[in-house]
Amino acid sequence: MKRTKIIDVLKSTEYGKEVCVKGWVRTHRSSKAVDFIALNDGSTIKNVQIVVDPTKFGEQLLKDITTGACICAEGTLVESQGAGQSSEIQASKLEVYGLCGNDYPMQKKGQSFEAMRKNAHMRLRTNTFGAVMRIRHNMAMAIHTYFHEHGFFYFHTPLITASDCEGAGNMFQVTTKNLYDLKKDESGKIIYDDDFFGEQTSLTVSGQLEGELGATALGAIYTFGPTFRAENSNTPRHLAEFWMVEPEVAFLDQEELMDLEEDFIKYCVKWALDNCKDDLQFLNQMIDKTLIERLEGVLKETFVRLPYTEGIDILQEAIKNGKKFEFPCDWGDDLASEHERYLVEEHFKKPVIMTDYPTEIKSFYMKQNEEAPTGSQLGSSIGYKGTYAPGPTMQGTDVLFPQIGEIIGGSVREDDYGRLMGEVKRRNMDMTHLWWYLDTRKWGSCPHAGFGLGFERLILFVTGMQNIRDVIPFPRTPKSAEF
């Protein structure tokens, strides 16, 4: 008999129909008169109940059907007599595909998330992680759908790169060289001439720079793929391998960029509420009892648009009134998560888009506000000449969310060649591998803007989970690359 997914069985009212379901046993309750098997196949958070007359089946077969076992059940779909489900199956045939002994690590008992991470190959079968992964899928679908409907093109950027977008140097190297016999020059530097690419390469930390090339040809693009950062951080908000969503749009100014950020993230949250109702209700009950209320609140609120300087003033006033922060928050400081969450959760009680950050704490490619000289003022629109001094602030547009802190990092990109080169020289940056990026400002430069959304941080917010390692199937963190 052809298999029917449990999600479809539970929706069906064709009582009296013969059905076949296959899945993994959540629970098995036995008595002399009747057995009840709760079966789940991953298609829904809900289980289908298999009602078994023990006199019709062998004793050993029923003993083999333990928590975690994989079985096939055929029988008659009937209206349920008990509470909690509308339909159940009266079994006529049972077959065990895979036994599961008492050492099965995901037994029906309370386990910490830390313990389950040690069994990441099995934790996906639990209700919580099934719900999280179905929501993760839906968020990916929401992202692709949003950008497709808004005229963006899905643009694939390389995972292997010779450049460092962020300039931090925290990158994983990619090489075919024999690490036990590295050739070095007279100064002790490794020679890469004989390596696969003929130069030092790494896994990318961002597809933004290549994405900008796409935007200046196609108008509006987005990337959605894995990125990598070799940062020795063990916080609940960091991974070494994570997914990024990075749209780039030509002819977009700062206000329009903030409109895009707010509209996009509200679309994703609404998609979750519309398409993940059962999973969200489960997580609202088991993980965070304010989850659904918080998601609905995002849709109701207009995001606050807050200049960095005003944000600092608010934080300083809070300190005067007795608020304690672990990290400093003077003008010029890169705000910590505690500062961002204070603004969002305590002061405004709604999402915030923080703008106009100090130049010194942001990336070289961000557009400076009007205090900075343009390329023509420096002496040439396509060459760096004269004395350069940066403006004090750049046109950043970071979205701050409750429970998370920064969920989007965005900015208008610097399109003026002279100003961009001035910043590169001021920071003593080696642009050997970014000559192509600078060329876009030489030939047909255009205003453009974009942002990066950490996909796992979005999943954290939408699911209410507390650790980023629990919203990706197989987390990669310092000293951990199992599974």
Side-chain angles (χ1 to χ4, degrees):
M1 186 184 301
K2 185 178 180 181
R3 173 200 171 207
T4 302
K5 288 186 177 181
I6 289 174
I7 190 172
D8 297 321
V9 167
L10 294 175
K11 292 177 181 178
S12 177
T13 56
E14 295 184 69
Y15 302 125
K17 179 182 178 181
E18 294 297 307
V19 296
C20 170
V21 292
K22 301 177 182 182
W24 295 268
V25 176
R26 286 286 194 260
T27 61
H28 181 183
R29 294 181 287 123
S30 301
S31 68
K32 291 182 179 180
V34 66
D35 282 24
F36 297 102
I37 300 169
L39 196 67
N40 189 281
D41 66 359
S43 62
T44 173
I45 190 72
K46 296 179 179 179
N47 307 320
V48 66
Q49 181 165 273
I50 314 297
V51 183
V52 181
D53 181 349
T55 64
K56 296 180 179 179
F57 298 90
E59 181 179 348
Q60 186 58 50
L61 175 64
L62 294 179
K63 283 184 178 180
D64 287 343
I65 300 176
T66 58
T67 297
C70 183
I71 69 170
C72 169
E74 296 181 12
T76 306
L77 183 67
V78 298
E79 192 169 3
S80 179
Q81 300 302 308
Q85 64 276 329
S86 58
S87 304
E88 59 190 22
I89 297 171
Q90 291 182 343
S92 59
K93 180 181 177 181
L94 294 173
E95 181 181 357
V96 178
Y97 288 151
L99 297 172
C100 202
N102 293 328
D103 58 347
Y104 176 53
M106 296 295 122
Q107 296 287 349
K108 185 176 171 58
K109 60 180 180 180
Q111 297 188 62
S112 70
F113 288 119
E114 181 63 34
M116 284 193 277
R117 283 178 214 128
K118 296 176 182 177
N119 292 287
H121 58 311
M122 290 288 109
R123 69 176 183 169
L124 299 174
R125 296 187 190 178
T126 64
N127 286 331
T128 297
F129 285 93
V132 170
M133 293 307 144
R134 282 186 293 271
I135 291 173
R136 184 182 173 100
H137 157 78
N138 268 280
M139 289 297 91
M141 293 302 298
I143 288 163
H144 284 300
T145 304
Y146 177 88
F147 287 122
H148 179 69
E149 290 179 348
H150 288 77
F152 286 67
F153 296 102
Y154 185 25
F155 191 72
H156 296 147
T157 54
L159 297 185
I160 299 174
T161 179
S163 60
D164 180 2
C165 172
E166 299 298 329
N170 298 321
M171 303 178 76
F172 293 100
Q173 286 196 39
V174 177
T175 183
T176 56
K177 293 178 70 65
N178 180 355
L179 299 183
Y180 298 98
D181 185 24
L182 294 174
K183 296 180 180 179
K184 299 181 180 180
D185 62 20
E186 294 179 353
S187 65
K189 293 183 179 180
I190 296 172
I191 298 171
Y192 286 93
D193 292 351
D194 60 342
D195 204 356
F196 186 89
F197 293 105
E199 59 184 328
Q200 183 177 348
T201 55
S202 304
L203 295 177
T204 186
V205 298
S206 169
Q208 177 200 316
L209 302 188
E210 293 88 352
E212 288 187 46
L213 307 188
T216 57
L218 300 172
I221 64 93
Y222 72 103
T223 75
F224 186 10
T227 52
F228 309 86
R229 196 157 299 178
E231 185 177 358
N232 190 17
S233 178
N234 275 296
T235 78
R237 296 289 181 268
H238 290 89
L239 291 166
E241 176 184 296
F242 53 98
W243 286 64
M244 287 285 287
V245 181
E246 298 178 290
E248 290 289 332
V249 190
F251 314 114
L252 204 68
D253 63 23
Q254 189 177 28
E255 284 297 320
E256 293 168 327
L257 176 59
M258 289 188 283
D259 291 342
L260 174 64
E261 291 171 337
E262 182 169 349
D263 188 59
F264 166 69
I265 208 161
K266 284 183 174 180
Y267 182 96
C268 291
V269 171
K270 187 175 188 304
W271 183 289
L273 289 167
D274 290 345
N275 295 280
C276 307
K277 182 178 179 181
D278 290 342
D279 288 321
L280 287 176
Q281 287 178 341
F282 171 81
L283 294 171
N284 192 85
Q285 178 183 353
M286 302 300 294
I287 302 299
D288 183 347
K289 297 190 184 301
T290 66
L291 174 61
I292 292 177
E293 179 184 359
R294 194 165 61 250
L295 294 177
E296 291 173 340
V298 168
L299 300 184
K300 297 174 184 175
E301 300 287 2
T302 298
F303 294 4
V304 174
R305 301 186 178 188
L306 178 72
Y308 169 92
T309 300
E310 292 182 21
I312 291 294
D313 290 342
I314 292 170
L315 293 168
Q316 291 292 338
E317 186 65 26
I319 291 172
K320 290 179 183 178
N321 292 329
K323 180 67 179 179
K324 301 292 185 182
F325 292 116
E326 180 180 357
F327 297 101
C329 55
D330 296 317
W331 200 97
D333 289 332
D334 198 357
L335 297 185
S337 179
E338 61 176 341
H339 306 132
E340 296 168 343
R341 292 186 61 180
Y342 172 81
L343 293 170
V344 172
E345 297 171 17
E346 298 185 46
H347 186 81
F348 290 107
K349 295 182 172 60
K350 63 175 70 175
V352 170
I353 305 179
M354 184 165 279
T355 68
D356 305 311
Y357 286 86
T359 299
E360 299 299 336
I361 64 172
K362 286 298 183 180
S363 298
F364 77 98
Y365 53 73
M366 292 189 181
K367 187 174 184 63
Q368 296 184 31
N369 280 312
E370 291 308 312
E371 296 90 339
T374 63
S376 57
Q377 291 170 331
L378 292 168
S380 173
S381 61
I382 59 170
Y384 173 73
K385 297 179 181 179
T387 302
Y388 169 81
T393 60
M394 288 180 162
Q395 293 184 24
T397 57
D398 293 356
V399 180
L400 314 179
F401 253 42
Q403 306 291 337
I404 303 297
E406 181 187 325
I407 196 170
I408 282 178
S411 76
V412 180
R413 315 310 191 190
E414 183 56 74
D415 59 287
D416 183 275
Y417 184 87
R419 191 184 284 179
L420 183 63
M421 281 302 300
E423 192 63 22
V424 165
K425 289 180 177 291
R426 187 180 72 85
R427 298 185 185 213
N428 295 316
M429 295 179 64
D430 180 4
M431 299 298 282
T432 303
H433 298 293
L434 285 175
W435 59 269
W436 48 268
Y437 183 73
L438 298 173
D439 274 357
T440 62
R441 274 62 172 180
K442 283 185 181 179
W443 300 317
S445 182
C446 70
H448 61 286
F451 66 79
L453 173 136
F455 187 52
E456 281 74 27
R457 292 196 178 189
L458 173 64
I459 308 304
L460 271 179
F461 180 75
V462 172
T463 61
M465 300 294 282
Q466 298 301 305
N467 195 309
I468 203 165
R469 303 176 195 200
D470 298 327
V471 297
I472 191 169
F474 306 105
R476 296 290 180 257
T477 54
K479 302 296 186 292
S480 178
E482 290 184 287
F483 313 110

